[in-house]
């Protein structure tokens, strides 16, 4: 049986460098999926180059990825989209929602955008005030998915911290299901810049294998007495240690990774982690989670690595909470 005849939703995880489309049932069951490299940066650059509006360019990108699903469907399919698609560089800016918020109990106000395939409902990002205001876009969907998975396990934590490693790492505080605070660290982006544009890039020799000894060395320096100098005060050691013969050129990348992640983790555990919280949940790329796990364990912080494939189900849940399923549920099972 054609999956499109029983589908109830098209969900989009539209990020900076790629777009993933999911054909789904209301209960979160995944029927089909597709992906391409039409992230928001590619689409906006295409629009600029061709002299078209962003709305036209994003509409075309959407049709190219999944118009066949709508052609084959026997009933209307609502569309929900999360990620950077709702940023000021995306299809249309979706306003942020201020904290605190319980994403499982309070429906997020989706931002509607017209398209040739139907209205695209964009998930808003989250914002937190203060002297250093924070914003997130895309991570709120991942957090919702992780909370849903925990709800299934019937072991909800009263107080928890979730860490989402990445280009801009997020540390998120959640109490009784309510997101109350978060902090952002440009660790991934800084690491990429350091290894591509700084003086360290001239010495670095890439290696296929992770040099865990060099990584642990960087973490220990960042968390030790020398770490009091701050990241900028210890970063040059990635060069000086090579010049003195104490670090291989192939270990520079992992050593710098240890310095950057070690500095982030040490500062957050010392100054941000709530008293009494000695456990964090990691959600993200498995390789990055492994690096953060080892850094956190050095400070006696226990770690649980959550399933990273939670976005599709979270999008279906948010669509349901926003009452996008107005059409009758298909009666046939796939």
């Amino acid at each position: 049986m054609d999956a499109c005849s029983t589908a109830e939703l098209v969900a989009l995880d539209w990020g900076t460098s790629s777009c993933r489309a999911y054909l789904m049932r209301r209960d979160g069951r995944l029927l089909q999926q597709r992906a391409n490299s039409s992230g928001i940066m590619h689409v906006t650059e295409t629009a600029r180059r061709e002299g078209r509006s962003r709305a036209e360019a994003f509409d075309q990108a959407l049709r190219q990825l999944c118009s066949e699903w709508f052609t084959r469907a026997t009933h209307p399919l609502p569309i929900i989209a999360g990620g950077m698609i709702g940023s000021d560089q995306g299809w249309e800016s979706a306003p942020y929602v201020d904290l605190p918020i319980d994403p499982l109990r309070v429906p997020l106000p989706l931002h509607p955008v017209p398209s040739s395939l139907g209205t695209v409902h964009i998930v808003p990002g989250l914002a937190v005030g203060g002297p250093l205001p924070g914003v997130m876009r895309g991570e709120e969907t991942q957090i919702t998915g992780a909370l849903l998975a925990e709800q299934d396990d019937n072991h909800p934590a009263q107080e928890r911290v979730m860490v989402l490693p990445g280009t801009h790492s997020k540390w998120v505080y959640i109490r009784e299901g309510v997101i109350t605070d978060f902090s952002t660290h440009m660790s991934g982006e800084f690491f990429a810049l350091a290894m591509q544009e700084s003086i360290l890039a001239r010495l670095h020799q890439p290696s296929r294998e992770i040099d865990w000894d060099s990584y642990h060395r960087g973490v220990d320096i960042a968390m030790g007495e020398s770490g009091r100098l701050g990241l900028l005060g210890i970063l040059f050691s990635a060069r000086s240690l090579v010049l003195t013969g104490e670090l291989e050129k192939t270990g520079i990348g992992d050593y710098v990774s240890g310095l950057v992640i070690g500095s982030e983790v040490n500062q957050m555990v010392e100054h941000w982690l709530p008293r009494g919280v000695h456990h964090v949940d990691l959600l993200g790329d498995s390789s990055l989670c492994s690096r953060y796990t080892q850094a956190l364990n050095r400070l006696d912080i226990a770690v649980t690595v959550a399933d990273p494939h939670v976005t599709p189900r979270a999008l279906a849940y948010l669509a349901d909470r926003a009452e996008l399923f107005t059409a009758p549920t298909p009666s046939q099972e796939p």
Side-chain angles (χ1 to χ4, degrees):
M1 181 179 296
D2 189 347
C4 292
S5 65
T6 60
E8 298 173 85
L9 176 72
V10 171
L12 305 167
D13 180 10
W14 211 325
T16 301
S17 59
S18 66
C19 180
R20 296 177 177 85
Y22 307 100
L23 185 68
M24 307 185 67
R25 293 295 299 269
R26 180 175 184 165
D27 60 6
R29 195 183 328 170
L30 188 60
L31 302 176
Q32 291 183 9
Q33 59 181 317
R34 295 176 179 176
N36 62 23
S37 58
S38 295
I40 67 164
M41 299 307 293
H42 172 79
V43 177
T44 53
E45 173 58 26
T46 299
R48 185 199 63 79
R49 187 175 62 249
E50 298 179 354
R52 294 187 295 155
S53 70
R54 280 193 293 172
E56 292 175 316
F58 277 104
D59 187 82
Q60 181 182 27
L62 175 63
R63 292 198 310 270
Q64 289 176 342
L65 184 58
C66 57
S67 63
E68 181 189 354
W69 289 341
F70 294 86
T71 301
R72 289 161 44 198
T74 58
H75 51 276
L77 293 174
I79 309 169
I80 186 171
M84 293 301 290
I85 189 63
S87 71
D88 56 1
Q89 297 296 312
W91 195 327
E92 195 170 296
S93 181
Y96 291 102
V97 174
D98 292 329
L99 297 187
I101 189 168
D102 183 337
L104 297 191
R105 292 180 174 83
V106 179
L108 293 176
L110 305 184
H111 182 73
V113 176
S115 83
S116 59
L117 298 179
T119 301
V120 178
H121 299 87
I122 299 178
V123 179
L126 302 181
V128 61
L132 299 176
V135 295
M136 70 165 66
R137 199 176 288 280
E139 292 93 349
E140 74 290 327
T141 306
Q142 294 176 280
I143 295 168
T144 300
L147 292 175
L148 280 172
E150 184 185 71
Q151 189 179 69
D152 290 344
D153 293 337
N154 295 318
H155 295 297
Q158 184 180 28
E159 189 175 38
R160 66 188 300 181
V161 169
M162 189 174 295
V163 181
L164 294 85
T167 303
H168 299 154
S169 298
K170 304 287 186 186
W171 290 64
V172 185
Y173 179 62
I174 303 169
R175 183 171 179 81
E176 296 181 348
V178 179
I179 303 173
T180 64
D181 192 16
F182 64 86
S183 178
T184 303
H185 299 258
M186 294 177 61
S187 302
E189 185 169 3
F190 176 83
F191 173 78
L193 289 171
M195 300 312 300
Q196 294 170 11
E197 304 294 339
S198 77
I199 194 172
L200 304 179
R202 302 177 188 177
L203 283 178
H204 178 227
Q205 291 182 359
S207 174
R208 294 183 179 180
E209 301 294 329
I210 297 177
D211 185 342
W212 285 114
D213 288 340
S214 294
Y215 174 75
H216 292 147
R217 184 177 188 177
V219 169
D220 290 340
I221 287 176
M223 293 181 172
E225 189 65 28
S226 296
R228 294 179 179 272
L229 296 172
L231 179 58
L232 295 182
I234 60 178
L235 192 61
F236 190 77
S237 63
R239 174 175 170 81
S240 60
L241 286 172
V242 172
L243 298 180
T244 57
E246 299 175 66
L247 178 68
E248 296 293 331
K249 292 182 178 181
T250 54
I252 293 177
D254 291 312
Y255 175 73
V256 172
S257 174
L259 292 178
V260 172
I261 293 176
S263 295
E264 174 192 332
V265 168
N266 192 55
Q267 287 295 312
M268 292 305 288
V269 170
E270 183 175 352
H271 300 293
W272 192 86
L273 202 68
R275 291 181 178 273
V277 175
H278 303 290
H279 175 275
V280 304
D281 297 297
L282 288 174
L283 178 60
D285 173 77
S286 60
S287 178
L288 267 178
C289 284
S290 177
R291 290 176 183 265
Y292 274 75
T293 295
Q294 296 190 43
L296 285 158
N297 287 166
R298 269 170 153 69
L299 296 178
D300 296 323
I301 303 297
V303 172
T304 297
V305 179
D307 181 358
H309 306 292
V310 295
T311 296
R313 185 188 174 195
L315 288 170
Y317 180 84
L318 293 174
D320 193 15
R321 294 287 293 167
E323 300 182 345
L324 298 190
F325 300 105
T326 56
T329 302
S331 59
Q332 294 176 312
E333 292 295 325

